[in-house]
Amino acid sequence: MNYFDGKIAIVTGATTGVGEGIAEELFRRGATVIITGRQFSRARQTAQRIDPTGQYVIPMEADVRDHLSIKALIDNTVEQFGGLHMLVNNAGITGPHGINICDYSIDDWNDVINTNLNGTFFGLKYGIPAIIQSEGGAIVNLSSSNGIVGIPGIAPYTTTKHGVLGLTRSAALEFADKGVRINAVGPGYVNTPHMQTLPAEVREWMASTHPMKRMATREEVAKTVAFLLSDESSFTTGAFYAIDGGYTAQ
């Protein structure tokens, strides 16, 4: 299954969780994967776990809130590896939970917006030209099941994930005839290592919100992302793929 041989990919926010799972899947399928995080030490540890040889999973420090950091990430990738074919704008935070809009702090609002929405915009802004220069490729943006429904208490997160869909669709239309396909995925609750630290009753409630009565695995999200990056979805752009066990069909 090495149909990404010779392809260069970037996955932001890939030191753990869903991003780590996506990076592992792309590596398994033959890609050279640059993984990023705000802390280089954590990115290096993850890269070494996935690829002990250090040849095909490369850690780089990047802060998606800073457009110059993302520009440097893209520029360094192209310079070191000769191009960029795939980009996964995964980095994101949920922010504080259970707080209504009137009580949400400005600082927390800005942090969520800057990370989730601005970070995706910066990835598109600098990643698209690099992919065009590399004779085409694909981008997947991480939205959420909350990208098409509302949830009280996490308005900034929900706002950003709706915004990611708007960015995805606009960018897909702008570059549909330029050899760059841009799609979004919307996971529900995913059974990541962080989820395993939560109390059992919380995890059981999260699972129960999906009609399939379980959370997604990281592998299920990663395989959908890999499909959208591959030529198997060559006529798909501007799409939103829900990976939510039926949550948004209710």
Side-chain angles (χ1 to χ4, degrees):
M1 195 184 290
N2 293 333
Y3 52 69
F4 288 151
D5 277 352
K7 301 297 184 182
I8 310 301
I10 291 175
V11 183
T12 66
T15 58
T16 189
V18 169
E20 181 183 10
I22 292 169
E24 189 164 10
E25 182 69 18
L26 300 185
F27 165 72
R28 189 175 69 86
R29 297 181 186 222
T32 295
V33 187
I34 289 81
I35 66 170
T36 80
R38 295 180 189 176
Q39 298 178 8
F40 179 74
S41 61
R42 292 186 63 190
R44 182 175 55 195
Q45 289 173 359
T46 300
Q48 289 174 343
R49 186 195 67 76
I50 298 174
D51 173 26
T53 73
Q55 292 182 282
Y56 300 104
V57 180
I58 314 300
M60 290 191 185
E61 185 175 339
D63 186 343
V64 298
R65 300 170 298 181
D66 178 359
H67 77 100
L68 293 178
S69 179
I70 298 306
K71 183 179 186 302
L73 168 68
I74 303 294
D75 289 346
N76 291 338
T77 297
V78 172
E79 181 179 351
Q80 292 184 41
F81 300 98
L84 177 65
H85 308 101
M86 299 179 287
L87 170 64
V88 182
N89 287 309
N90 167 77
I93 60 174
T94 59
H97 288 242
I99 302 174
N100 69 47
I101 291 170
C102 297
D103 294 332
Y104 222 95
S105 80
I106 300 299
D107 286 344
D108 286 336
W109 168 272
N110 286 336
D111 195 28
V112 176
I113 298 294
N114 288 335
T115 303
N116 299 0
L117 192 55
N118 290 350
T120 301
F121 166 67
F122 298 150
L124 294 171
K125 177 177 176 61
Y126 297 114
I128 289 171
I131 292 174
I132 292 174
Q133 184 181 356
S134 304
E135 300 184 351
I139 296 173
V140 174
N141 297 323
L142 268 289
S143 181
S144 167
S145 56
N146 297 128
I148 57 175
V149 299
I151 287 187
I154 52 170
Y157 178 79
T158 303
T159 298
T160 60
K161 294 307 182 179
H162 277 67
V164 165
L165 287 186
L167 273 174
T168 298
R169 289 164 175 156
S170 292
L173 294 174
E174 291 174 0
F175 295 94
D177 60 350
K178 302 294 192 300
V180 184
R181 296 183 302 102
I182 305 165
N183 295 291
V185 296
Y189 292 116
V190 183
N191 192 18
T192 63
H194 171 70
M195 288 293 194
Q196 292 298 317
T197 68
L198 299 177
E201 60 270 21
V202 174
R203 286 185 279 116
E204 290 169 4
W205 172 82
M206 288 177 169
S208 73
T209 65
H210 307 108
M212 293 179 72
K213 302 305 178 187
R214 66 175 178 85
M215 289 189 274
T217 67
R218 292 195 297 182
E219 291 76 16
E220 286 170 323
V221 177
K223 287 177 180 179
T224 303
V225 171
F227 165 73
L228 291 171
L229 292 172
S230 77
D231 289 340
E232 293 181 351
S233 62
S234 56
F235 201 58
T236 301
T237 196
F240 171 74
Y241 273 62
I243 315 170
D244 63 7
Y247 180 86
T248 54
Q250 298 178 103

